Amino acid sequence: MRKSAPEDQPKHPIQVVARRTGLSVDVIRVWERRYQAVSPGRTEARRRLYSDAEVNRLLLLRRATEAGRRIGDVAALPTDELARLVAADRGAEPGTAAGPEDFVESCLEAAERMDSVGLEGELARAAVNFSVPVLLERVVAALMREVGERWHRGELRVGQEHLVSAAVRSFLGGLYGTSNMGGTGPVLLVTTPLGQNHELGALMAAVLAAADGWHVVHLAPNTPAADIAAAARQVDARAVALALAYPQDDPRLVQELRLLRQQLEPRVALLVGGRASDGYTEVLSEIGARQLASLAEFRAALAELRTASAAAPSPRSR
């Protein structure tokens, strides 16, 4: 029997689909029941599960209705025909795909309008169009950099910046929930240390690692070194990843980093990144932490660690 393609496999609960598409749960159910727009699978407990292809179809249907078309006129169209129709409605040539930069710009436009639903919808659409690494590096991270720069230039208000941060945090939380299914890969503990309250970088790291097959344990931000080390021992972590965003010159953090390295088992790798990490280069070098300048470097470091873990027996099996 031929196996179904990954994009056709049901895996997303309706709440995740609602977040990714910008449609309410009620609208999704009505479109499914009344118009047979999608046909989700069911768990043994009769909970709906939607495939990536169905999420993409719902996004296209949303775009079509936003352009002024009635759902009853488009719900039965084949997906490829629906995509061409939506592309034509948006003034694009059929088959012309939007790039990551287009999604960043459309997210910024939604932020300027204070349109949280539109912003969440654009992020959800980007999630369907791109792989997790491209989505995080070239859409989410690029969006947050641009928001920060525009805020510093006075081109975005504080409320607009907060709207983007809240939407991205919710979006990443949803991605993490669907990506981290408790696999059998090595364990990665992700958090921000004491005094570091900004968690978007840690969430991106958690999502990326989970998508690459790691079993990720994500702690709340601003976690003291002793608690990080205790959690790492409890879950038998192979590595601890820290995201440093602000400030760049906290003397308490220098001591926390030293304490963390002292309390972690020697075999546990310490990976550190984020825009504030440059302020702690000296202590990171001193304690043997691996300082990473990008999500791509983080992913490469994870691959190296996983290869090494596969070649060496676990301490618990000795």
Side-chain angles (χ1 to χ4, degrees):
M1 181 180 296
R2 182 182 176 186
K3 295 178 66 177
S4 61
E7 63 269 18
D8 294 325
Q9 295 175 0
K11 55 188 173 184
H12 305 298
I14 195 167
Q15 292 81 4
V16 172
V17 178
R19 185 181 298 115
R20 289 193 175 191
T21 61
L23 297 168
S24 71
V25 169
D26 289 338
V27 165
I28 294 171
R29 287 172 174 162
V30 168
W31 285 6
E32 173 192 333
R33 182 178 64 252
R34 188 176 302 171
Y35 302 104
Q36 292 77 52
V38 291
S39 300
R42 298 275 183 166
T43 67
E44 292 182 359
R46 304 298 297 163
R47 292 177 61 243
R48 291 172 171 85
L49 288 180
Y50 297 77
S51 67
D52 289 339
E54 287 169 325
V55 173
N56 183 52
R57 180 171 176 80
L58 287 168
L59 277 167
L60 290 170
L61 289 170
R62 178 189 169 204
R63 291 294 179 191
T65 57
E66 286 176 344
R69 299 183 182 276
R70 297 189 309 169
I71 183 63
D73 294 335
V74 295
L77 291 176
T79 300
D80 56 352
E81 184 177 341
L82 180 62
R84 288 193 292 270
L85 185 67
V86 169
D89 285 343
R90 299 189 71 182
E93 289 294 329
T96 300
E101 300 79 8
D102 298 311
F103 283 98
V104 172
E105 189 59 37
S106 60
C107 286
L108 290 167
E109 291 171 359
E112 290 173 353
R113 300 191 305 269
M114 293 294 289
D115 179 6
S116 60
V117 172
L119 174 56
E120 291 167 2
E122 288 302 309
L123 290 170
R125 197 162 66 92
V128 174
N129 279 269
F130 305 114
S131 65
V132 169
V134 172
L135 173 69
L136 295 179
E137 185 83 58
R138 298 183 58 190
V139 179
V140 177
L143 171 63
M144 295 312 300
R145 284 194 300 270
E146 185 64 23
V147 165
E149 291 173 6
R150 293 193 183 191
W151 179 79
H152 282 295
R153 295 196 301 262
E155 297 173 9
L156 283 179
R157 299 187 300 274
V158 171
Q160 292 167 323
E161 187 274 337
H162 286 178
L163 180 141
V164 176
S165 294
V168 169
R169 184 178 295 107
S170 174
F171 172 68
L172 291 173
L175 281 182
Y176 173 67
T178 56
S179 299
N180 193 45
M181 304 303 290
T184 58
V187 178
L188 175 72
L189 188 85
V190 181
T191 187
T192 73
L194 192 66
Q196 296 283 321
N197 293 297
H198 299 273
E199 64 176 334
L200 294 185
L203 272 171
M204 282 192 279
V207 170
L208 184 58
D212 276 352
W214 285 71
H215 179 78
V216 180
V217 177
H218 176 240
L219 302 183
N222 192 28
T223 303
D227 293 324
I228 297 173
R233 288 192 296 272
Q234 183 174 347
V235 300
D236 192 24
R238 175 64 183 87
V240 170
L242 303 178
L244 310 182
Y246 179 86
Q248 292 183 312
D249 56 355
D250 185 353
R252 297 176 305 165
L253 182 53
V254 173
Q255 297 307 316
E256 283 287 302
L257 291 169
R258 287 175 176 147
L259 179 62
L260 176 59
R261 182 66 273 179
Q262 291 169 6
Q263 295 193 7
L264 287 175
E265 295 180 17
R267 72 177 190 88
V268 177
L270 186 55
L271 310 176
V272 182
R275 63 177 180 268
S277 62
D278 286 346
Y280 303 94
T281 298
E282 185 175 344
V283 67
L284 292 176
S285 176
E286 172 193 321
I287 65 175
R290 185 162 178 177
Q291 188 173 356
L292 305 168
S294 67
L295 287 172
E297 288 189 14
F298 174 65
R299 194 179 186 208
L302 291 181
E304 292 176 16
L305 286 171
R306 188 156 191 178
T307 299
S309 295
S314 168
R316 291 185 178 182
S317 65
R318 292 173 185 170

